[in-house]
Amino acid sequence: MRPSGSGVDLEVVVCRCGEELAWLRNLPPGVRVTVYDKTPFPAGGWPDSHPLPNVGREAHAWLHHLTERYDSLAGWTVFAQGH
């Protein structure tokens, strides 16, 4: 396992396309949440939400996350769909 460069132990990375994300509010404090939003016309953003084009399904968002944040990945990263 490579050491974490972010100082964050756990990060949940979610790819959504219009799904409700209220369930993320149940995560304990200290968990970093990153949302990649592929909704064509997002109504409201999540605090750490990043719009992406709706191509490549979830794998596109997760690969984007790994390549953009490789040097600051959490010790543990969980990839999840929005629903």
Side-chain angles (χ1 to χ4, degrees):
M1 178 191 319
R2 65 181 216 81
S4 169
S6 70
V8 175
D9 290 331
L10 176 62
E11 178 175 19
V12 177
V13 179
V14 179
C15 178
R16 74 181 288 242
C17 189
E19 296 91 357
E20 176 58 47
L21 299 179
W23 61 271
L24 290 174
R25 294 186 191 350
N26 295 325
L27 295 174
V31 174
R32 181 168 67 189
V33 176
T34 302
V35 174
Y36 292 100
D37 197 342
K38 293 185 169 228
T39 307
F41 302 103
W46 192 257
D48 190 13
S49 180
H50 307 278
L52 286 178
N54 191 13
V55 296
R57 299 186 48 111
E58 305 85 26
H60 170 249
W62 298 333
L63 182 59
H64 174 83
H65 182 81
L66 289 170
T67 57
E68 290 296 312
R69 296 199 179 172
Y70 183 78
D71 292 328
S72 64
L73 290 173
W76 291 90
T77 303
V78 176
F79 296 95
Q81 296 176 340
H83 59 286

